[in-house]
Every structure is written in structure tokens, then in C-alpha cells.
Amino acid sequence: ELKVEQNPLFLSMQEGKNYTIYCNYSTTSDRLYWYRQDPGKSLESLFVLLSNGAVKQEGRLMASLDTKARLSTLHITAAVHDLSATYFCAVSHNYGQNFVFGPGTRLSVLP
Amino acid sequence: DAGVTQSPTHLIKTRGQQVTLRCSPKSGHDTVSWYQQALGQGPQFIFQYYEEEERQRGNFPDRFSGHQYPNYSSELNVNALLLGDSALYLCASSALAGGETQYFGPGTRLLVL
């Protein structure tokens, strides 16, 4: 059974600081996704990582994938308040047939 | 280009009732997946539809059923509602032709009393 873990589950950080969110998954998967969810809202796609060593960056967020370690990281650079949200990683089996989400990391960026 | 749309946005039902939620996928997408998201948790995969067939199913009882129409829109039906079915129900669409991410709709918030 595919399981996805994230840590930390809660993260409070100051503006301007850097931090990393970790996503571990239990069995081989073919894609890894990062999503953002604001309170009461739906999920917004951030990144899709397809292969070992993949790295993608958008603004202050950078995601990477190590398929051998079954680990993905979401690195936040010089955090700003607008990044406050819950971040989910998800992995898929069978080319998108079954998505399994992690529990989410609730990020709060304080001024 | 309209993204994924869902209706209704909010719904209140009582235990034992039945509910139908609706989803229209993003233009060009042929695959629809449904998720249940309880408060404070990650989305849980219910099932996925492609070519009007249920392609994959998560760990949900048979009370949860679905349908996909030729225009790729989809319905989620839940029978014999329980209090624990209260959640945000999310529909996501994607193109089956690999490498595509899922795009999520705004969700339907269901409250079972």
C-alpha cells in the first residue's frame, strides 16, 4: 500500500527565512506532485516531478525529487506572508490512476 | 477557458439521505477523479473515471458510486449518508495522455446532520 508522509506537519517561520518541507513515500511511484491549498479553497498545482533528480522552481519555491530515497523536498527561500497555506505532496501509481496525498504541511509565515 | 467546475458549492443533508455531486472537467481533459477531504486532512482518493468507466477505486464503500457521461462530465453519488461523510468533495480532471497533472475544482462542501 502506497503511503505518503510529510514533515513537518506544522511550520511557523519568519519572513525572510529559508526552510524545507519533506515528503517521503513508501513504494515506487511514477510521478510526484506538490499542491498548495489556501483555507476554504481548492488545491492549486505547483509542481509535477517526473524523474529522479528532477528540480523545478517557481518564484520562492523549489521542488526536487530523489526516487532512490523516495523523497521529495519543497524548499522555501526568503519566505513572505503570501506563502502562508497548506502544502500537500501527492504521488501517483499507474500513470495517474491512483493519487495518494500526504497529510499536508500547514505553513504560517509571520512578519 | 473554464477550469474544472463543480456544483453545488454547499449542501446540507441528513443522515440516511442520498446526494449527487456534479463535475465538469477542464476543456481538453477526459479523465475525472473524485476525492474526499475531511477537515484538516489531505484529500482521499475515491475513484477515477475514463471513457465512462470506473478505472480505479480507493478504499471507499459501495455507498459511493459515480458516473461519467460522453461529454466527460461526472457525478458522484453517495447513498445512506453518515455523519462521517461530512467533508469537502473535490473533483479533479486530467488528460489521460501521461505527464499531465490534475486540476482541481473548487469543491462541494457537504454537511450531514
Side-chain angles (χ1 to χ4, degrees), chain B residues 4-24:
Chain B
V4 181
T5 60
Q6 292 185 243
S7 63
T9 56
H10 295 81
L11 205 51
I12 299 175
K13 292 285 188 179
T14 57
R15 282 179 297 175
Q17 285 190 310
Q18 178 264 344
V19 67
T20 297
L21 311 182
R22 295 178 175 82
C23 172
S24 292

Side-chain angles (χ1 to χ4, degrees), chain B residues 4-82:
Chain B
V4 181
T5 60
Q6 292 185 243
S7 63
T9 56
H10 295 81
L11 205 51
I12 299 175
K13 292 285 188 179
T14 57
R15 282 179 297 175
Q17 285 190 310
Q18 178 264 344
V19 67
T20 297
L21 311 182
R22 295 178 175 82
C23 172
S24 292
K26 183 178 169 64
S27 177
H29 286 181
D30 55 12
T31 301
V32 173
S33 301
W34 287 93
Y35 294 84
Q36 179 193 68
Q37 186 178 24
L39 198 61
Q41 298 183 20
Q44 300 292 314
F45 175 75
I46 302 175
F47 43 54
Q48 183 182 83
Y49 276 83
Y50 170 70
E51 290 189 341
E52 303 178 53
E53 297 284 336
E54 183 182 288
R55 188 165 170 245
Q56 189 80 10
R57 188 179 183 93
N59 189 25
F60 278 81
D62 292 344
R63 298 187 297 110
F64 290 77
S65 63
H67 187 79
Q68 186 179 35
Y69 294 94
N71 66 354
Y72 308 121
S73 67
S74 177
E75 290 180 352
L76 165 65
N77 301 293
V78 186
N79 294 323
L81 284 167
L82 304 174

Side-chain angles (χ1 to χ4, degrees), chain B residues 78-109:
Chain B
V78 186
N79 294 323
L81 284 167
L82 304 174
L83 296 180
D85 295 332
S86 295
L88 178 68
Y89 288 85
L90 294 164
C91 166
S93 74
S94 59
L96 184 61
E100 294 286 339
T101 193
Q102 291 190 338
Y103 292 86
F104 282 80
T108 293
R109 192 164 297 279

Side-chain angles (χ1 to χ4, degrees), chain A residues 9 17-18 33 59 70 83 102:
Chain A
L9 299 181
K17 299 293 187 182
N18 304 333
Y33 304 80
R70 296 177 187 158
L83 290 179

